[in-house]
């Protein structure tokens, strides 16, 4: 049984079972209804059971769907412990094993009496045996009928009974065993395994060398994390060619709004993929968050205009104006002069 567990917001701790059907996620008329996250689209994503387990698919949302903080572009398989994120809301996937599942162990039971190998019957000894009753004998195989004079020879056990037992070797005079050559003596006469310490040192040296080489290559090739000025320059490059194409955001025509929503969605993806400077920067976080809010509000406006829902379109237009004002303020504070809706 697979379950989705909400980690954030008012639904935190709620569980949604993913059986043979599917679980939809969004802000309106979905199974997982997330109303307080403005970055979640109306129909954002769907989680369904598949032949190989569980998979998630993005439904064309503005801000995208992420699995372990990687944006997906096609149906993606999920495993236990994966973190699914839509907007600022995270969900965990938990797959429980079937308690009625039979586990076959590898223990082999001994054969039963029904399948045991048959036991040969030993015929009684012949009165003409050449071995005396007073000589101890070892167990022998079942007697067979004599086919040649060889069967009348004395058994090897009778010869071993006459030989004296072998004496135990003297510990002081015995030769070194085969184990000693794999050891070496060190100072003080102690004995230790040869090569064990050497292998450990080689492994440690290899790990240290790999880390040094990786750091040098990263420094030379990547040049480290960008500065704040470099990040602002990269953002302006994204906005320079695309912002002039975004026009007529609130002119009441669905076709223009749909085109603007598509451009804003592309810019949002590129800005999110830019490498940020090291450390926490609240102005950068606010810039990215407000830009995503503009995209979400613009998508709601487009849906309302397409459905000819005037009341809903007016509410979406007012929300868009507020989001644009917040974004313009954040853009000015960060210094991204090219990212502005102002003419």
């Amino acid at each position: 049984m697979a379950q989705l567990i909400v980690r954030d917001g008012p639904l935190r701790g709620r569980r949604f079972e993913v059986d043979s059907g599917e679980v939809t996620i969004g802000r309106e008329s979905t199974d997982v209804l997330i109303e307080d996250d403005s970055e979640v689209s109306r129909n954002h994503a769907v989680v369904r059971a598949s032949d190989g387990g569980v998979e998630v698919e993005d439904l064309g949302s503005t801000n995208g769907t992420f699995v372990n903080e990687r944006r997906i572009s096609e149906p993606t398989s999920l495993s236990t412990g994966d973190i699914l994120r839509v907007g600022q809301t995270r969900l965990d996937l938990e797959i429980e094993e079937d308690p009625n599942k039979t586990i076959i162990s590898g223990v082999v039971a001994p054969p039963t009496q029904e399948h045991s190998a048959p036991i040969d019957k030993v015929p009684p000894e012949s009165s003409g045996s050449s071995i005396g009753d007073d000589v101890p004998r070892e167990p022998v195989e079942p007697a067979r009928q004599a086919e040649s004079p060889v069967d009348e020879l004395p058994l090897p056990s009778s010869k071993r009974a006459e030989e004296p037992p072998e004496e135990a070797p003297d510990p002081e005079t015995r030769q070194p065993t085969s184990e000693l050559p794999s050891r070496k003596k060190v100072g003080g006469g102690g004995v230790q395994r040869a090569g064990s310490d050497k292998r450990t040192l080689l492994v440690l040296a290899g790990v240290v060398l790999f880390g040094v080489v990786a750091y040098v290559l990263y420094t030379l090739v990547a040049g480290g994390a960008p500065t704040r000025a470099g990040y602002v320059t990269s953002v302006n490059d994204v906005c320079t060619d695309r912002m002039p194409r975004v026009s007529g955001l609130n002119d009441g025509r669905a076709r223009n709004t749909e085109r603007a929503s598509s451009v804003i969605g592309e810019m949002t993806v590129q800005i999110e993929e830019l490498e940020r400077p090291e450390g926490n920067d609240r102005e950068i976080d606010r810039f990215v968050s407000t830009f995503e809010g503009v995209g979400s509000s613009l998508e709601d406006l487009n849906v309302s205009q397409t459905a000819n829902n005037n009341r809903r379109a007016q509410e979406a237009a007012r929300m868009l104006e507020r989001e644009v004002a917040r974004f313009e303020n954040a853009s000015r504070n960060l210094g991204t002069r090219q990212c502005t809706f102002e003419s």
Side-chain angles (χ1 to χ4, degrees):
M1 177 186 296
Q3 292 184 338
L4 284 176
I5 307 173
V6 184
R7 297 178 56 179
D8 307 295
L11 298 180
R12 181 177 181 180
R14 288 282 304 276
R15 295 172 176 261
F16 297 86
E17 295 185 0
V18 183
D19 296 330
S20 58
E22 58 184 27
V23 176
T24 55
I25 305 172
R27 287 200 301 163
E28 183 174 328
S29 300
T30 55
D31 298 320
V32 183
L33 189 60
I34 305 175
E35 299 178 328
D36 62 331
D37 193 338
S38 61
E39 300 180 19
V40 177
S41 300
R42 295 176 61 184
N43 293 291
H44 199 107
V46 59
V47 178
R48 63 172 66 93
S50 63
D51 295 339
V54 180
E55 67 178 15
V56 60
E57 180 180 0
D58 184 76
L59 299 179
S61 65
T62 300
N63 299 315
T65 301
F66 296 80
V67 176
N68 297 328
E69 294 306 323
R70 290 192 176 185
R71 184 164 183 163
I72 62 173
S73 58
E74 59 185 11
T76 303
S77 299
L78 297 175
S79 303
T80 297
D82 286 345
I83 299 177
L84 174 65
R85 180 169 69 83
V86 292
Q88 297 298 323
T89 304
R90 297 169 296 172
L91 303 95
D92 292 335
L93 177 67
E94 181 179 289
I95 301 178
E96 299 179 359
E97 294 292 340
D98 187 357
N100 297 323
K101 185 178 179 181
T102 303
I103 301 177
I104 302 177
S105 65
V107 179
V108 180
T112 61
Q113 183 176 1
E114 180 181 357
H115 300 286
S116 300
I119 301 176
D120 295 335
K121 295 183 179 181
V122 181
E125 291 188 8
S126 175
S127 58
S129 176
S130 60
I131 303 177
D133 296 335
D134 57 343
V135 180
R137 293 170 299 189
E138 295 180 352
V140 296
E141 298 179 354
R144 295 188 295 270
Q145 294 182 355
E147 297 178 356
S148 66
V150 178
D151 295 330
E152 299 178 0
L153 295 177
L155 296 177
S157 59
S158 61
K159 183 177 179 180
R160 288 198 300 270
E162 298 175 358
E163 294 178 356
E166 184 179 356
E167 295 182 359
D170 187 354
E172 297 182 357
T173 60
R174 65 181 178 182
Q175 295 295 328
T177 62
S178 58
E179 182 184 4
L180 294 180
S182 63
R183 304 185 178 187
K184 64 178 182 179
K185 290 187 177 181
V186 295
V191 178
Q192 64 179 15
R193 291 286 182 186
S196 59
D197 291 343
K198 185 177 181 180
R199 284 193 299 270
T200 302
L201 292 177
L202 288 176
V203 171
L204 292 176
V207 172
V208 173
L209 181 61
F210 176 79
V212 173
V213 172
Y215 176 78
V216 172
L217 291 177
Y218 176 79
T219 303
L220 295 178
V221 177
T227 61
R228 175 170 174 164
Y231 177 79
V232 171
T233 301
S234 299
V235 173
N236 281 326
D237 291 340
V238 174
C239 297
T240 298
D241 297 331
R242 291 173 175 80
M243 271 300 185
R245 296 165 51 190
V246 181
S247 60
L249 299 183
N250 195 18
D251 60 1
R253 292 179 296 176
R255 185 178 60 183
N256 290 345
T257 306
E258 181 180 3
R259 185 169 62 252
S261 177
S262 176
V263 175
I264 292 296
E266 294 175 358
M267 295 172 61
T268 301
V269 173
Q270 294 189 4
I271 290 176
E272 288 180 344
E273 292 178 349
L274 293 177
E275 185 178 2
R276 298 190 184 186
E278 294 181 351
N280 297 326
D281 194 318
R282 293 184 177 179
E283 291 186 352
I284 292 179
D285 294 339
R286 186 169 180 268
F287 170 82
V288 175
S289 177
T290 55
F291 194 71
E292 292 175 349
V294 171
S296 180
S297 299
L298 191 57
E299 180 185 7
D300 290 344
L301 177 60
N302 176 50
V303 173
S304 301
Q305 291 175 351
T306 303
N308 293 323
N309 188 335
N310 295 330
R311 184 184 62 82
R312 183 65 182 271
Q314 291 176 359
E315 295 177 357
R318 288 193 294 269
M319 176 63 72
L320 177 60
E321 291 178 0
R322 291 194 292 269
E323 293 294 337
V324 169
R326 292 177 56 206
F327 169 72
E328 293 291 349
N329 184 40
S331 180
R332 284 192 298 269
N333 293 337
L334 185 60
T336 52
R337 303 301 180 187
Q338 300 298 327
C339 297
T340 178
F341 295 102
E342 298 175 352
S343 56

